Structures are given as structure tokens and as C-alpha cells.
Amino acid sequence: MTPIAGAQQRRSISPPPQKKPKTTSMQLRVNRGRAQHRAWRYTCQPKTAARRHSLSLSKMSVYGPVVKIHPVVLASICDSYERRNEGASRVIGTLLGTIDKHSIEVTNCFSVPHNESEDEVAVDMEFAKNMYDLHKRVSPTEVIIGWYATGFDITEHSVLIHEYYSREATNPIHLTMDTALQSGKMSIRAYVSAQMGVPGKTVGVMFTPLTVKYVYYDTERIGVDLLQRTRVLPNRTKGLTSDLSQVGGSAARVQDMLTTMLAYIDDVLSGKVAADNSVGRFLMDLVNKVPTISAEDFENMLNSNINDLLMVTYLSNLTQAQIALNEKLVLL
Amino acid sequence: MASRKESGAASTSVLASTSGTLDSPVKQIQIEGLVLLKIIKHYQEEGQGSEVVQGVLLGLVVEDRLEITNCFPFPQHTEDDADFDEVQYQMEMMRSLRHVNIDHLHVGWYQSTYYGSFVSRALLDSQFSYQHAIEESVVLIYDPIKTAQGSLSLKAYRLTPKLMEICKEKDFTPEGLKKANIGFEHMFEEVPILIKNSHLINALMWDLEDKSTVADKHELLNLSSSNHLEKSLQLLMDRVDDMSQDIVKYNTYSRNQSKQQQQKHQYVQRRQQENTQRQSRGEPPLPEEDTSKMFKPPQPPPRMDTLLIAGQINNYCQNVKEFTSQNLGKLFMAEALQGHN
């Protein structure tokens, strides 16, 4: 990934560990010398400066693949965060999905237990492998494409975990989700890592951000809409409606949208708001979408459709009566 | 444990259950948004055509509510996977989930359905074994085609206690069913569903709404109906054909039975006549032969399938009626729109 020049960039620099880390199949643990730790703290200052500018980051254009996230992944991360162990400040886990030419689609995830303290981090690799195997049985097309962590920052431990994941997948992405809502919003960011520094001397790792998009399947969109409606109710619960009330609800929503539009049009006509040509064109499209059919033709179409539906209703009622009758006769 | 089978017929009684007069230990189901999204995703990715996808529900029981907090999917059943151990997969999955503090109590299973055709022997058996092992388990039926039409279609069913009794006895003869006085309406009971999200997920929803584009497809107000109606009616016709075959079978059976009764009666009468004749002639009477051994009673056809088919037909009819009522409403709305033009 080409690193982006500019002081406004989010940076996470970590010096390479002095001792060769002992990696067993179960854990990845690194112990750092005290002196190095102090040196690291000193170079930590630029981070705070970068943090102040982090809010403007989302408006910058970034190079690299686009990351498309499904809502089920985000909900899963939130859920694992809520269920974290006592004392753990954040949760990590693996991201599964598919890789395209220009985009990475994240469709599933699972959390991996890990322990984190001041100077060491332990991740249960065996568990991660196991879970991935189980998931692969269900959906064989999903591969490990990266990992996620809750929390706002990218810490030194992240780099080590990222190293592990780069062994599992080529160029893994790292997703952070601010579940503690530090900045007032749940900022969801994705990064790829890039090497930086002077070759031969201090080499570090830099995380470059990527654009994040939310994609939905059609049915997912409908599910998410239902969940959206849940959040506005006082006791946060919602039953599932059925039948005509659904159509009624949908019609009410369209009506709301129409009222908003009419209010806007009134404002424009009375001169309160400046007229916008593109909006005007959309409005014209909308009005022209209602097809002009002669009254007679429309009447015919309407009647034939209604007749079809009524006939089907009649038939199904008849069938139901028939089977009920049959039931009674058999049990005589 | 869930056994892998195709879905079958079930009858539902929508009216009785949603009025809250259930006498089962579970009166309400509370589902988290995460479970919903997972089920939708599972079908979308793995369920092509009319294959059903299945999975396990995890959660806990709180007073008279069943809270479903997580779920995991089951792999598809393929022929070349003969040594695939489902129990082992389940055990492993649950063990791993326990490590990350996810509720690992089995509370039911879910299944997708094709146009509402889920009432079948397989479903009955699976649900029976589940309910037998765990009192409060439910089966969630997710209808993806109806959901794609605009609104989520998710229903939860349990077997009524009467049906549980019958399944336990395995007595599916007409006499057995008559004794239990069970009709196709009393096979399954529907449990009302509530959706509840935690505060954090609600915050996530706010964020998502901010960042994602407005949905450009409002499927619910779509006027086209013929495709869906056609398929539903075709399935209905198939089932009605099955039903009529079953009825013919039952009719032949009862006819055979009555014919046999007549024959038996005639035989006994003849015997008696002969005996009186012999007595009058002074000869020893012929021994009374065991009539039941001579005339073997015909096998009564199992009534369970009929019950299931009847239930399935009922379900189809309900779905069709719901669909037509919605479409009628939409047609009237279209008329109003034209009227202003």
C-alpha cells in the first residue's frame, strides 16, 4: 500500500522487538526490555498530535481496496464486546469474507479469547484455527481476511497480532470499532499495514486507513430496517406485524416522505429556500412515474386484478373448509 | 439433538396462539437483532433455490420468556460427507462459544422454508426430539421469499402437549388419533416474537443509518403478484392431490373393513346354522373356529401423514389469504393515485 504523506495521518509506530519472540502453537508472547519501553514512550508524542486531526480523516480520499462491511459483522462485534471477560478492556477476533479485485467484503466474524497486559499479549491461536475450520464447513467460500479490535486506538499489541494474522492471510485488514464511544460516535475504521522506515535500520509498521462502506443484501436491508424501528420505542422491543397492517405502515412512511417534500416545495415557492435544479429534476421524474392510463383501461385492469385475488381467496377458503370437514368425518 | 431432514408439513393455529392463551412454559420469545441478521445472512449465502438451511439457536429462559441471544448455522448435508459427524460439530461449536462467554444453552433450532412448505414428518420428528430433551425449545421458521417482498417473516412454533403425547406413544392409527381428539389445527402452536436490542446495538443502528444510503427498493409496495401467487397455488394443488390420494386410501381401507365384517358375520351365521343342523341330526357340533385368525383385519393406514398434509394445506391457504389481502390494499392505493391524475 502506498503510504500517504502528510502530518495528518494516523500513525502507529512500533520498534522491532529485541528478543526473538517465542511462538508456540498456543500463544504469542513478547517481553520487551525496560529500556526499549522508555524509548518507545518518548516517540509516542506525535500520536497525540495525530489524534487531534483524526476527525478530518474520514473526508480524505484513500487508496487501496474498499472495505465493504455487512451489518451482521458489526452487530457480532458489539455483542462480543458486551460479553467480554472481567478486566478486559477490549475484544479481538477474526474477520471472514471474500476478496475481490478492488474490494474486500467482510461477511462474518468470530471473537478470539485473548489476554492483554502492559507488556505482553496472549492470543489463543488454537481456538482461532478451530473456529475457522468450523466456519469453513458451513460456508466454504469465506476466508480469513483480517481481524478486528474494539477500542479507539491502535496499540503496540495490535502490531503483533497483525503480524500473526499476516501469516494466515495475505495482506490482512485491521478493523477498529469504538464501542466505548469515546469520540461520541461509534467510529468504524479499517486499516492495512505497510512497512516504513529506513531499510536496514529501524523498520516500523504503519497502518494506512481504507474507505469503509456498508453493504446489505436485500433481505438484510429489510431486517436492518426492522431493527431501526426497534430503537425508537421506549422499551426497545417490537413485535412482528403481519397482514394489512404492514402495508398500512409502509404507506404511512411514504406519506411522511411526501409531507416533507411538500413542505420543501412550499418553502421554495415562497422563496424561503433557494431552488435546487437537481432536486427539481428528481421531483419531475417522480411525478412522471405515475403512468397515464385512460380511465376505462385502468378500471378494467383494476377489476381483473381484484377478481383474480378474490377468486384465489375464495378457493383457499373453500380448501380450508374442505379439510376441516374431512377431519371431522375421519374422526367420526 | 437436531437430526438432519427435510422440512415437512405442520399445521398452525395462528388465532389461538397470538391471543396469549398458551398453556406451555414459553409464552413469548425475545430475539436479539444479531440472531436475525445471522439467519438472514445464512440463507442468503448458502441457501440456493429450494434448499433449506438449518441452524441451532442458543439462549436462555427467563421466567416465561425464551430469550434467544445467538445462533450458529449447520453445514449443508452433502452425500459425499458421509462421515461428517453432526453431533461432534455441535459439541465443538458450543465448547468454543463458551470460551467467549456466549450462552451455550441449546434452546431450539431454525429453518428456512420455501413458500411456506415446512410442515413435514422430518420437522415433526426434529421438534419432538428437541422438545422432549429441552422443555422450552422452539423452531423458528424463516421465510426468505416473503421477507424479500418487504417485511420480515419469522415465526416460532412449538408442538402442542397433545401432539407430544401422540409422538411419544408412536400410535398413529385412526383410533389413537381419535382418542386424543387432535385435529390439524392443534398440532403446532405459534409463539409471539419480540425483537429486543441492547443499547450498544441501538447506538450502532443510529450510526449505520447515518452512514448508509436510503434503501432504494421499497418492496412492500410492489404491485406485481402473479409470480408469487402462481407458485403458491401450484404447491397448494400438489398438496391437495396428495390429500385426495390419501383420502382414497382411507376410503378403500374402510370399505375393506366393512366388507370383512360382513364376511365374518356371514361365516359365523353359517357355522351356527350348520351346528343346529348337525345337532338335529345327532352329530357332534363343529368346533367354533377362531374367526379373528381366519379373517385377518386389514391394516389401518397411518393417519399422521394425512394430518400433516392437512396442516400444510392450511398453512398454504393462510399464506395465500394474507398475500391477497395485502395486494388488494395496494391495488386500492394505486386506484387512489390514478384518481388524482
Side-chain angles (χ1 to χ4, degrees), chain B residues 204-224:
Chain B
L204 174 70
M205 289 291 143
W206 280 106
D207 222 37
L208 272 186
E209 175 146 355
D210 246 359
K211 304 236 181 74
S212 27
T213 53
V214 177
D216 52 350
K217 277 204 215 182
H218 289 276
E219 278 299 323
L220 190 53
L221 295 176
N222 200 357
L223 266 184
S224 69

Side-chain angles (χ1 to χ4, degrees), chain A residues 167-180:
Chain A
R167 266 179 266 144
E168 298 281 322
T170 51
N171 213 3
I173 61 171
H174 172 45
L175 189 77
T176 57
M177 186 152 139
D178 186 12
T179 39

Side-chain angles (χ1 to χ4, degrees), chain B residues 177-197:
Chain B
L177 290 180
K178 211 186 296 193
K179 235 192 306 169
N181 193 19
I182 203 168
F184 62 84
E185 288 152 344
H186 306 299
M187 282 178 66
F188 281 51
E189 56 189 13
E190 188 181 334
V191 189
I193 298 182
L194 277 182
I195 299 189
K196 185 169 175 134
N197 280 324

Side-chain angles (χ1 to χ4, degrees), chain A residues 70-72 74-76 78-85 107-109 111-113 124 127 130-131 134-135 137-142 177 179-181 185-188 214 216-228 230-232 235-244 246-247 250-251 253-254 257 290-293 298-299 302 305-306 308-313 315-317 319-320 322-324 326-328 330-332, chain B residues 32-34 36-38 40-42 44-46 69-70 73-75 84 88-89 92-93 96-97 99-103 142 144 147-148 150-152 154 177-178 181-184 193-215 217-218 220-221 225 229 233 236 240 243 247 250 303 306-307 310 313-314 317-318 320-322 324-335 337-338 341:
Chain A
H70 281 263
V72 65
L74 302 170
S76 208
C78 279
D79 186 62
S80 355
Y81 179 73
E82 285 171 4
R83 291 171 185 276
R84 65 192 188 283
N85 286 317
T107 51
N108 206 351
C109 68
S111 71
V112 175
D124 196 347
F127 179 92
N130 250 349
M131 277 294 258
L134 291 175
H135 272 106
R137 291 238 197 98
V138 179
S139 28
T141 49
E142 286 182 349
M177 186 152 139
T179 39
L181 299 166
K185 282 182 118 170
M186 196 178 275
S187 48
I188 300 169
Y214 303 109
Y216 309 86
Y217 299 124
D218 287 336
T219 38
E220 253 183 353
R221 186 76 218 212
I222 294 170
V224 168
D225 280 342
L226 183 65
L227 295 179
Q228 304 273 18
T230 316
R231 64 160 199 247
V232 294
N235 56 348
R236 304 169 317 164
T237 61
K238 178 102 167 63
L240 297 175
T241 54
S242 70
D243 226 354
L244 211 51
Q246 278 171 348
V247 180
S250 200
R253 279 195 290 283
V254 173
M257 289 196 264
V290 180
T292 42
I293 316 174
F298 185 75
E299 194 77 22
L302 193 73
N305 267 325
I306 293 184
D308 285 340
L309 293 174
L310 286 176
M311 174 191 82
V312 173
T313 318
L315 280 177
S316 44
N317 275 332
T319 323
Q320 274 184 316
Q322 177 72 43
I323 49 177
N326 178 51
E327 193 85 15
K328 298 290 179 269
V330 164
L331 291 181
L332 265 180
Chain B
E32 289 216 357
L34 177 64
L36 211 62
L37 291 174
K38 271 191 162 176
I40 294 177
K41 165 200 164 346
H42 185 210
Q44 192 71 35
E45 292 190 346
E46 307 301 327
T69 52
N70 215 323
F74 240 69
F84 174 68
Q88 192 213 16
Y89 172 83
E92 282 236 22
M93 202 51 148
S96 314
L97 291 176
H99 277 308
V100 287
N101 296 338
I102 295 183
D103 298 322
Y142 165 65
T147 308
S151 65
L152 183 68
L154 193 70
L177 290 180
K178 211 186 296 193
N181 193 19
I182 203 168
F184 62 84
I193 298 182
L194 277 182
I195 299 189
K196 185 169 175 134
N197 280 324
S198 65
H199 289 295
L200 195 57
I201 304 245
N202 278 339
L204 174 70
M205 289 291 143
W206 280 106
D207 222 37
L208 272 186
E209 175 146 355
D210 246 359
K211 304 236 181 74
S212 27
T213 53
V214 177
K217 277 204 215 182
H218 289 276
L220 190 53
L221 295 176
S225 60
L229 263 184
L233 282 180
L236 186 61
V240 170
M243 183 70 154
I247 292 179
Y250 187 71
R303 301 300 297 163
T306 324
L307 211 60
I313 292 180
N314 191 32
C317 293
Q318 286 288 103
V320 165
K321 285 201 289 195
E322 209 175 280
T324 50
S325 70
Q326 284 185 337
N327 262 48
L328 280 172
K330 287 188 233 171
L331 280 176
F332 281 121
M333 278 206 308
E335 182 185 15
L337 208 59
Q338 276 288 342
N341 228 7

